[in-house]
Amino acid sequence: MYRTPRSSHLISAWKQQIAMARRKGGGGGHVWRRMLEKTGKKKQPAPSLAEWLCTSQWQGRMEFFVQRIVAAQINPMGVARAFSNHMNVIVGDMSQMDDISNTIACQVLQVPCTKEGKIVGLAEKQPKVLNQRDNPVEIGFSPDEINEVEDVLREMDCYYYCDLRGNLTILDAHDSMFTNKEGWNDCCTSKQSWLSPGHAYKRLQSIGCRASGIEQPIAEPSKPIHEPNLVGINTTMFHEGDVPVHNAYLIMAFPVFAILFLLRWGLVTKGSKRSRR
């Protein structure tokens, strides 16, 4: 799914990481983060978004693999690029989707739906609002700085979108990335508007350090990002400057595939039984 504003996707990822770090055990040993050794010092407050981007840490508590998060978790076009050589890829533009679950079920999975685009038999049931989190702290950015962050993420999107757009299906395309020839859609005319995930991360880190008043950023965790390739994804599909994060893509993708398969199988079977009656 393509979430806009793009900066809201980054803010959501930051909230998620802070929320997980607050849990008992801290969620250490994860692909996105690891716990720091206890130093006996007083626990520090959670970092703002700006501090998190700059230091990749919650001081005295958790170390985050922010570069990996930027490259995979908030990089829908990169995920699409990784899988495009193996399957047909559809990216949903969330900018004007009223009901994401119904849109996916009806337009992608092709389950029985009403003319209004609601799943047959579930039309009156409203999905529960889940996974809502309060702001852990202030984000630490001014409106102008958030606009800078937005531009960086858009330029990372262009890096992949311009390579993919001839072979990519966009569902409910409304965002300027896909429709406005004078806006982000025009980024494909010049590679100067492109940023690889590695370069995008460096730009975001720089903006975060400037906003939070930190002169020298703490080096991001040294744990290798080049992890085993479990399904034979060809690393040549990644452009120079990319961070190979195949496992991270798979961690996100497999549960989604499983849920969608079960949803399609269950609803189609239910519809078949109804038709036989």
Side-chain angles (χ1 to χ4, degrees), residues 138-195:
E138 293 297 325
I139 63 173
F141 282 127
S142 69
D144 287 342
E145 288 162 341
I146 280 291
N147 288 336
E148 287 186 68
V149 168
E150 181 77 15
D151 287 347
V152 170
L153 295 175
R154 292 282 186 168
E155 289 172 11
M156 181 175 71
D157 293 339
C158 285
Y159 182 76
Y160 290 104
Y161 172 64
C162 297
D163 182 41
L164 275 173
R165 63 176 182 168
N167 300 302
L168 184 66
T169 300
I170 304 296
L171 192 65
D172 277 11
H174 290 92
D175 186 77
S176 59
M177 176 65 75
F178 316 116
T179 61
N180 184 0
K181 293 182 179 180
E182 302 302 322
W184 283 106
N185 185 270
D186 197 44
C187 70
C188 296
T189 62
S190 173
K191 290 186 178 181
Q192 293 180 351
S193 300
W194 301 1
L195 282 177

Side-chain angles (χ1 to χ4, degrees), residues 112 120 266-277:
V120 172
L267 290 174
V268 170
T269 301
K270 182 178 179 181
S272 299
K273 290 180 180 178
R274 184 184 293 112
S275 63
R276 287 196 294 269
R277 294 176 186 175

Side-chain angles (χ1 to χ4, degrees), residues 60-80:
R61 189 164 189 165
M62 191 69 64
E63 201 167 28
F64 301 92
F65 303 111
V66 178
Q67 184 173 5
R68 184 179 296 172
I69 291 168
V70 170
Q73 192 175 4
I74 61 169
N75 186 9
M77 293 301 174
V79 174

Side-chain angles (χ1 to χ4, degrees), residues 49-232:
L49 173 60
E51 293 167 339
W52 183 75
L53 286 172
C54 178
T55 67
S56 299
Q57 288 192 8
W58 182 344
Q59 292 291 333
R61 189 164 189 165
M62 191 69 64
E63 201 167 28
F64 301 92
F65 303 111
V66 178
Q67 184 173 5
R68 184 179 296 172
I69 291 168
V70 170
Q73 192 175 4
I74 61 169
N75 186 9
M77 293 301 174
V79 174
R81 180 69 179 85
F83 286 101
S84 64
N85 288 351
H86 305 273
M87 62 189 72
N88 295 325
V89 177
I90 299 174
V91 174
D93 178 2
M94 294 175 61
S95 61
Q96 294 190 33
M97 280 189 187
D98 293 329
D99 190 321
I100 295 172
S101 58
N102 275 298
T103 299
I104 293 174
C106 298
Q107 298 190 40
V108 179
L109 299 178
Q110 299 293 308
V111 302
C113 291
T114 66
K115 293 180 179 180
E116 292 75 26
K118 303 292 184 181
I119 301 171
V120 172
L122 301 177
E124 301 302 321
K125 296 182 180 180
Q126 298 298 319
K128 295 179 180 180
V129 178
L130 302 174
N131 204 29
Q132 297 293 302
R133 298 184 180 92
D134 295 331
N135 292 334
V137 287
E138 293 297 325
I139 63 173
F141 282 127
S142 69
D144 287 342
E145 288 162 341
I146 280 291
N147 288 336
E148 287 186 68
V149 168
E150 181 77 15
D151 287 347
V152 170
L153 295 175
R154 292 282 186 168
E155 289 172 11
M156 181 175 71
D157 293 339
C158 285
Y159 182 76
Y160 290 104
Y161 172 64
C162 297
D163 182 41
L164 275 173
R165 63 176 182 168
N167 300 302
L168 184 66
T169 300
I170 304 296
L171 192 65
D172 277 11
H174 290 92
D175 186 77
S176 59
M177 176 65 75
F178 316 116
T179 61
N180 184 0
K181 293 182 179 180
E182 302 302 322
W184 283 106
N185 185 270
D186 197 44
C187 70
C188 296
T189 62
S190 173
K191 290 186 178 181
Q192 293 180 351
S193 300
W194 301 1
L195 282 177
S196 70
H199 289 102
Y201 162 70
K202 290 296 184 183
R203 287 272 297 275
L204 292 171
Q205 184 184 51
S206 177
I207 297 169
C209 290
R210 172 167 30 96
S212 56
I214 300 175
E215 294 183 5
Q216 297 294 329
I218 299 173
E220 189 172 40
S222 57
K223 183 179 179 180
I225 293 176
H226 207 318
E227 300 184 64
N229 187 344
L230 299 182
V231 294

